[in-house]
Amino acid sequence: MRDLGDDRRHESGTGDGGPLTAAEAAVLRGLLASLPLNGQRLKAERYVRGLLSVRGRKTLRSVAAQFDGASAQQSVHHFISASPWDWTPVRHDLARHAQRALAAQAWVIGTTLIPKTGPHSVGADPQQTPLGTVNGQCTVGAWLASERAAVPVDWQLRLSARWTADPLRSRASVPEDAAADTVETCVRRAVAGLAEIRGVPRLPVVVDVPEAGGMPLVRILAAAGRPFAVRVSPSLPVRIDRWELPAYGDLLRTAGDLAESLPHLRQQVNPGDGSTTVAAVPVVASPRRREPMTLLGEWCPERRAFPRLWLTGRDPSGVAAALRLTRLTAVVERDLVEVSDRVGVRDFGGRSFPGWHRHITLASVAHLMAVSARGHRRAVTRDRSPAQERDYRPVI
């Protein structure tokens, strides 16, 4: 990861949040340059600094405590929940900078549950999880990821029918064109949004949302010409490619059955993190449209659970390269906990739909700043003695 600054850190004052180097402060100003008004840019910068420096939950009140003046809380609340600035240009600038800083290898799209204690936070509804029903928000995030780090760039908030009808629609300032969504709809919208970000290479797309990994999504990615790996459910119907496996005709089976029932297609593959057992089954989207794909079923040696199933394009670089893409989901999961949660991605408690998007956008900017500082700390650690490292104070 490219370094965003040197080790000459300065204290920027209690009203401006956490300490940043001059180079990091310049990067932060660049990420917020699309905001049209100088006052908006100043408030956004202070908000990000607050997210980086405040201990505990990053509520509007705790972040406002980093601002000057008796009316700071009201000012911050208005800036996040009611001020009419557009978060999309900020996200696009974030994507371009994160791509350069991370040398990202792929986009990773996945869901994140944000638990809520009550029903009033925008989008909060009972959510089904493997551990039971949890009240909270269901979000879909698009992350730029490399083997070293991942940064969230774009977010979708799934809304149920009750949030797209009055009085909740008006109360939460939900736009008129927003409709009740499924997770699959949010994933498709996230995929479509990638094409709108200029200045970022056409990277592979990894979708780790089994309930949304159907053939329509795979066809969209294939038609866009993007390399992809889409996590699919064992119950997904798939059709064997009879041109590759003529003995089976165009047999239609579930993905789980195919992965389990063709042991002669299993192989040992090392994608870089150790040998693993993989079944690579050639399949097609339909008997009339021969879109060659590979169904990958991977058995994890540490557990006897059903194999993880992925649909990928017929990648000439091979199975190992496709599996390396799927490993980026673990980087996202790690950095969600180690970085995003620390800078308050899940901490917005307001009722405003635009407010949620603005907060999570600035929290994503803070995430990039924190990841860059973490990379700098690791580089410094390699060059320091243990005694010097004990004296080194990180950014967050």
Side-chain angles (χ1 to χ4, degrees):
M1 184 183 304
R2 288 186 180 86
D3 180 21
L4 293 184
D6 57 24
D7 196 31
R8 297 187 298 272
R9 300 190 174 272
H10 65 277
E11 295 294 334
S12 55
T14 58
D16 288 337
L20 300 177
T21 67
E24 289 169 337
V27 168
L28 179 55
R29 287 192 294 272
L31 291 171
L32 304 172
S34 64
L35 297 180
L37 301 178
N38 183 62
Q40 292 172 334
R41 295 191 292 272
L42 179 60
K43 288 180 180 178
E45 181 177 347
R46 287 181 171 179
Y47 194 87
V48 172
R49 289 175 180 267
L51 294 174
L52 289 167
S53 63
V54 169
R55 295 185 180 276
R57 292 188 69 242
K58 277 66 174 178
T59 64
L60 293 182
R61 177 177 296 180
S62 64
V63 173
Q66 309 299 304
F67 286 59
D68 296 322
S71 61
Q73 185 174 337
Q74 182 179 355
S75 175
V76 170
H77 183 274
H78 180 270
F79 172 68
I80 294 297
S81 298
S83 180
W85 58 272
D86 185 359
W87 53 85
T88 301
V90 178
R91 293 182 182 182
H92 289 189
D93 286 339
L94 172 63
R96 286 184 281 269
H97 189 85
Q99 162 60 22
R100 295 191 298 269
L102 271 63
Q105 297 161 264
W107 288 99
V108 177
I109 296 175
T111 55
T112 299
L113 175 64
I114 304 178
K116 296 295 176 182
T117 56
H120 302 299
S121 294
V122 60
D125 282 302
Q127 309 289 343
Q128 300 301 318
T129 76
L131 300 178
T133 302
V134 175
N135 184 70
Q137 298 161 323
C138 177
T139 71
V140 172
W143 298 60
L144 280 168
S146 70
E147 293 177 353
R148 292 173 293 174
V151 171
V153 171
D154 194 30
W155 293 92
Q156 311 292 327
L157 176 63
R158 189 178 75 83
L159 299 174
S160 66
R162 78 186 190 97
W163 286 100
T164 57
D166 284 328
L168 288 184
R169 177 189 284 274
S170 298
R171 189 180 304 164
S173 300
V174 175
E176 287 297 326
D177 60 352
D181 290 326
T182 62
V183 173
E184 183 173 359
T185 303
C186 290
V187 170
R188 290 193 196 182
R189 193 161 60 240
V191 168
L194 302 183
E196 300 174 3
I197 304 175
R198 299 186 181 278
V200 175
R202 292 173 61 81
L203 298 170
V205 178
V206 181
V207 181
D208 189 12
V209 188
E211 63 268 34
M215 279 298 179
L217 175 60
V218 171
R219 290 193 188 103
I220 289 171
L221 290 167
R226 286 183 183 266
F228 62 88
V230 176
R231 182 92 174 268
V232 296
S233 165
S235 62
L236 177 73
V238 290
R239 192 176 299 274
I240 284 181
D241 187 346
R242 64 179 179 177
W243 297 98
E244 296 290 334
L245 297 175
Y248 295 89
D250 59 353
L251 183 66
L252 183 67
R253 299 274 293 277
T254 67
D257 285 344
L258 282 183
E260 293 278 11
S261 63
L262 299 173
H264 64 285
L265 295 180
R266 297 178 189 176
Q267 55 187 290
Q268 291 295 308
V269 177
N270 188 344
D273 56 358
S275 183
T276 184
T277 302
V278 179
V281 185
V283 297
V284 293
S286 73
R288 294 181 300 278
R289 300 172 57 189
R290 188 172 182 267
E291 297 166 329
M293 293 176 288
T294 301
L295 172 68
L296 297 179
E298 181 186 7
W299 282 262
C300 298
E302 67 272 12
R303 61 180 187 274
R304 295 185 178 181
F306 203 84
R308 295 208 311 167
L309 300 170
W310 301 85
L311 275 178
T312 73
R314 205 68 63 78
D315 189 345
S317 57
V319 173
L323 285 180
R324 277 195 292 274
L325 287 179
T326 70
R327 298 303 193 259
L328 297 177
T329 63
V331 181
V332 169
E333 292 170 0
R334 181 201 68 196
D335 281 3
L336 173 65
V337 174
E338 290 188 1
V339 184
S340 282
D341 282 347
R342 293 180 64 188
V343 298
V345 158
R346 300 194 227 208
D347 286 353
F348 183 72
R351 303 184 183 186
S352 164
F353 178 86
W356 182 86
H357 275 282
R358 294 188 185 107
H359 167 85
I360 208 165
T361 298
L362 295 180
S364 298
V365 170
H367 179 113
L368 173 62
M369 304 303 295
V371 161
S372 300
R374 181 182 66 182
H376 178 75
R377 291 199 303 273
R378 289 173 177 171
V380 169
T381 300
R382 290 194 294 268
D383 298 333
R384 288 175 180 266
S385 68
Q388 289 174 313
E389 173 58 21
R390 282 195 298 271
D391 293 335
Y392 180 70
R393 296 183 63 187
V395 177
I396 59 172

